[in-house]
Amino acid sequence: QVQLVESGGGLVQPGGSLRVSCAASGFTFSNYYMSWVRQAPGKGLEWVAGVNRGGSSTYYAESVKGRFTISRDNAKNTLYLQMNTLKPEDTALYYCARALGLGRITESDYRGQGTQVTVSS
């Protein structure tokens, strides 16, 4: 069965950096677009970033463009999100998601359990 397991979250100060990872299994990882989505306390899900099958094309929400970088290692079945210049408003539960493809990259059919990122001094 499809499994997505996030790791790497934690507490970081404003302006700091953090990298979260997602280990994928149960499907052919390289066949799918992948995304990161997040949910801040008391708010709905927000799509953050997406990447195509080979990793050559990336897509970002305006709120994170220029600060976050999504990447993937298909040999390791792993998805990454490098987060720089973090702000308190980036505090959220970050989910790895299997996207529905180009044109529907903000939609997903599977998500992991999430990893908490807290930005606070």
Side-chain angles (χ1 to χ4, degrees), residues 5-116:
V5 180
E6 301 91 339
S7 61
L11 174 64
V12 61
Q13 292 188 340
S17 297
L18 199 64
R19 188 178 81 158
V20 293
S21 302
C22 169
S25 62
F27 65 104
T28 304
F29 182 67
S30 58
N31 284 356
Y32 288 85
Y33 283 67
M34 296 295 296
S35 288
W36 287 97
V37 298
R38 67 186 181 185
Q39 187 166 26
K43 296 190 176 181
L45 280 173
E46 176 190 15
W47 175 80
V48 173
V51 62
N52 70 345
R53 297 179 188 92
S56 60
S57 295
T58 55
Y59 314 87
Y60 297 96
E62 284 298 323
S63 57
V64 306
K65 197 173 290 184
R67 301 188 298 120
F68 289 12
T69 302
I70 187 172
S71 62
R72 66 192 297 164
D73 186 337
N74 285 343
K76 295 182 178 179
N77 289 347
T78 302
L79 181 72
Y80 303 100
L81 184 68
Q82 175 67 44
M83 301 179 286
N84 298 329
T85 319
L86 282 160
K87 305 174 182 179
E89 51 263 44
D90 294 318
T91 295
L93 191 58
Y94 283 74
Y95 298 94
C96 168
R98 193 174 79 170
L100 295 185
L102 185 63
R104 301 183 69 185
I105 199 165
T106 61
E107 302 171 65
S108 59
D109 56 0
Y110 287 95
R111 284 200 311 268
Q113 85 290 347
T115 186
Q116 179 66 40

